Amino acid sequence: MPRNDIAVVGAGLVGALVATLLTQRGFRVTVYERRSDPRLAGFEGGRSINLALAERGLHALRATGLAEKVLDQAVMMRGRMVHDPAGHSGLQRYGVDDSEVIWSVSRGGLNTLMLDAAEAAGATIHFDQGLVAADLDAGTLTLGAPDGTRRTVDAPVVIGADGAGSALRAAMHAHSPLGERVEELGHGYKELEIPPGRDPSAPFAIERNALHIWPRGHYMSIALPNREGSFTVTLFLPNDGPHPSFRTIAGVGAAEAFFRADFPDALALMPDFAADWAAHPVGTLGTLYLDRWHIGGRALLIGDAAHAIVPFHGQGMNCGFEDAAELAELFAATPDDPAAVFAAFEARRKPNADAIATMALENYVEMRDSVADPHYLRKRELGALLAERSPTHYLPRYRMVTFTHLPYAYALERGRAQDTLLEQLLKGHDSVGSVDLDAAVRTLEATLPPLPL
C-alpha cells in the first residue's frame, strides 16, 4: 500500500464522509463495510432514532457539495413543541428565527447520498466485508464475507468509523488497552409511529416543523417529522424500577393503558400502536468513553466508535461529521505523518467529545423535566433577553452547541458560567419582569468576557 493509502472500516455516515473528504484531498481511500450495499439491499437500521442535522454537520457536508441535497430530503424543526398532560402544547424556539433551526433527516436516505458522494469522489467501497481481525503490527486486516470466506488485505493506516459496536476498537483494545468504559443510562427506548393522514394536501397530523416532546418528569416521548407526513415517535423510559418502566409495561395491553393515561393525545394518532409496540425491541442507551483513540499512526477511531453518546442533544452525527472534517484538515496539512495526525486529532477532539457527552446527558433531564419547570422557563426567558441586549456576552448554551462552531468544551464551560449568573440575577424574583435588565446587562458584561464569535 502506498503511503497515501488509507483504509476505513465502516461505510455508515461518518465513514462515508471521511472517505469523501480524504479522497478529495488526494488520498486513495478503500472502505470496508460488513453490511450489503443499502442502495441495493435496502437500509437495515440499527439504532434508527431520527437524526437531527445542525450547523456543525451541515458545515462538513458543504465541503462535499451535499448540503443542499440533504436539506431537500429533510424537514425543518423550529423548536420544541411541548405537550402537557392536559393536551395543551406550546412551541419553545431553538433560535431567534428561521435562520436557527435543526433538520430531521432519514438515516437511510442520508447514508445513500453519502455513499454516492464517496464513490463519486473516487473512494472504493467493498460491501459484505466485515472486519474479523486486525494485525496492527503487520498492518493487515482480515475480512469475512457472508458466505464464510475470508481474505487479508494490507492496511498500514486504518480509520475505524464502524459505530458504537466497533470491531476495529475491539481489535485495537486487544492489541493495546484503550481504557474503555461504557456508562449505561439505565433508560431504554421504544420506537413507534404516527402515520401520515389520509389527506395528501395535509399529511401531518401535528405541527410539521417542530420536534414534539411529551415531558413527564423522569421519562418522556418525542416525535420527529418525516418528509412524507409521518412522525417517528420514541418513548424513553427507565428499564427497571417502579411503574412506569419497561419492566412494568412489557405487554401491549399494559403499554396501551400507560399511553392512554400519560400520552392520550399521542396515542390517538397511532392506529397501529399495538403492532408497533410488539414489533420494535427496547433499545439500549449508554455513553462510551476511551482514554485513547489511536495506536501510533496505525489505527484511529472516530465518531461513535470513539465516543458514542446518548441522543438527547441531537449531536451524535454532527459531532462525528465534525470529527471527519477536522481529521481531513489535519491529514491535508501533514499527509506523510499519520502518527502526528492521529495524536493531534485526539488532543483536539477528545475534550470536545467528552463535553458533548456531558451535555447530552444533561439535555435528557432538560427535555423530560425542565421544559415544563417554571424556574427553568424564567431562566430561559431572562437568557433570551440578555442575548438580545448583549449579544457579545451572552448566547444560550443550546445555540452555542447547535448553531455555531464554538468548541463543545467551550460551550459547556461558558454555559455553566452563564447559568450561575442567571441564578444570581433571578434570586429573589418570581418573574423576569421584576429584574432590572440594565443592571443585569452591566453585571453580565462585568462578570464574563466577550464571546469568541
Side-chain angles (χ1 to χ4, degrees):
M1 232 184 191
R3 258 179 117 164
N4 64 348
D5 276 22
I6 296 174
V8 175
V9 177
L13 301 176
V14 174
L17 178 59
V18 78
T20 304
L21 294 174
L22 289 172
T23 304
Q24 288 176 339
R25 286 159 174 78
F27 292 88
R28 193 165 71 185
V29 180
T30 305
V31 186
Y32 301 100
E33 169 57 52
R34 66 170 180 80
R35 301 170 302 161
S36 299
D37 188 339
R39 296 166 296 183
L40 304 175
F43 181 75
E44 51 176 86
R47 187 172 74 180
S48 56
I49 294 172
N50 281 52
L51 300 167
L53 180 64
E55 172 55 31
R56 293 172 198 269
L58 278 169
H59 179 70
L61 289 175
R62 288 184 194 111
T64 69
L66 278 181
E68 290 308 314
K69 287 182 181 177
V70 171
L71 291 181
D72 284 345
Q73 293 188 0
V75 181
M76 179 178 72
M77 297 186 291
R78 293 188 171 97
R80 300 165 173 163
M81 186 67 75
V82 180
H83 298 256
D84 70 17
H88 305 120
S89 61
L91 183 70
Q92 296 178 6
R93 265 196 178 271
Y94 290 131
V96 291
D97 54 33
D98 281 358
S99 69
E100 292 184 333
V101 298
I102 61 176
W103 301 85
S104 175
V105 297
S106 151
R107 185 187 298 270
L110 180 55
N111 202 181
T112 292
L113 281 177
M114 297 185 69
L115 290 171
D116 288 343
E119 289 181 335
T124 301
I125 306 176
H126 296 285
F127 294 96
D128 295 313
Q129 295 286 289
L131 181 65
V132 175
D135 187 332
L136 299 178
D137 294 322
T140 62
L141 303 177
T142 300
L143 306 162
D147 63 6
T149 59
R150 294 186 176 188
R151 67 183 179 120
T152 299
V153 298
D154 290 332
V157 178
V158 59
I159 296 167
D162 51 340
S166 171
L168 183 64
R169 185 177 72 245
M172 290 168 63
H173 187 68
H175 178 278
S176 180
L178 303 176
E180 176 179 331
R181 68 190 190 281
V182 176
E183 293 184 4
E184 299 292 347
L185 183 62
H187 289 222
Y189 68 91
K190 171 87 78 163
E191 284 201 344
L192 305 159
E193 184 186 45
I194 294 174
R198 293 179 180 174
D199 181 356
S201 65
F204 292 89
I206 48 179
E207 167 59 41
R208 165 186 173 147
N209 297 120
L211 187 157
H212 294 261
I213 307 179
W214 289 261
R216 298 296 183 262
H218 67 289
Y219 57 97
M220 68 176 180
S221 280
I222 67 171
L224 274 72
N226 297 305
R227 193 164 176 77
E228 85 286 357
S230 68
F231 287 81
T232 300
V233 179
T234 310
L235 169 67
F236 296 96
L237 201 62
N239 292 322
D240 297 299
H243 183 77
S245 67
F246 280 116
R247 183 179 61 80
T248 66
I249 58 168
V252 170
E256 281 195 15
F258 167 58
F259 264 74
R260 199 172 297 115
D262 282 60
F263 311 108
D265 52 337
L267 180 63
L269 302 173
M270 293 188 279
D272 299 321
F273 177 90
D276 282 349
W277 186 273
H280 295 134
V282 175
T284 59
L285 297 165
T287 305
L288 168 70
Y289 299 95
L290 300 176
D291 292 337
R292 296 194 302 131
W293 292 357
H294 72 103
I295 293 176
R298 289 169 285 178
L300 171 76
L301 300 168
I302 67 171
D304 282 355
H307 49 72
I309 62 175
V310 294
F312 303 111
H313 215 307
Q315 285 292 307
M317 172 182 65
N318 294 285
C319 182
F321 282 6
E322 202 172 54
D323 279 357
E326 187 139 4
L327 181 61
E329 288 175 9
L330 288 167
F331 259 120
T334 315
D336 297 320
D337 193 349
V341 168
F342 291 175
F345 176 81
E346 180 183 301
R348 288 191 192 186
R349 295 299 297 164
K350 193 172 185 312
N352 292 311
D354 290 344
I356 191 57
T358 296
M359 291 188 285
L361 288 165
E362 291 177 357
N363 221 43
Y364 185 30
V365 177
E366 181 173 309
M367 291 173 74
R368 75 190 194 206
D369 192 357
S370 303
V371 291
D373 176 68
H375 182 64
Y376 164 83
L377 295 173
R378 284 194 293 274
K379 285 201 295 183
R380 191 175 188 276
E381 181 185 353
L382 179 57
L385 290 170
L386 291 177
E388 187 179 326
R389 293 280 195 100
S390 184
T392 57
H393 283 72
Y394 192 95
L395 188 64
R397 188 178 86 177
Y398 185 90
R399 288 174 61 196
M400 277 190 265
V401 168
T402 310
F403 306 125
T404 79
H405 302 287
L406 292 170
Y408 288 126
Y410 175 85
L412 176 61
E413 178 187 2
R414 180 70 177 215
R416 286 176 172 166
Q418 291 180 168
D419 190 70
T420 298
L421 181 66
L422 290 177
E423 293 284 0
Q424 292 171 355
L425 294 173
L426 282 169
K427 204 166 190 179
H429 296 275
D430 291 328
S431 75
V432 174
S434 63
V435 175
D436 182 336
L437 283 179
D438 290 333
V441 169
R442 288 195 297 273
T443 301
L444 165 67
E445 294 181 353
T447 305
L448 297 178
L451 293 156
L453 295 170

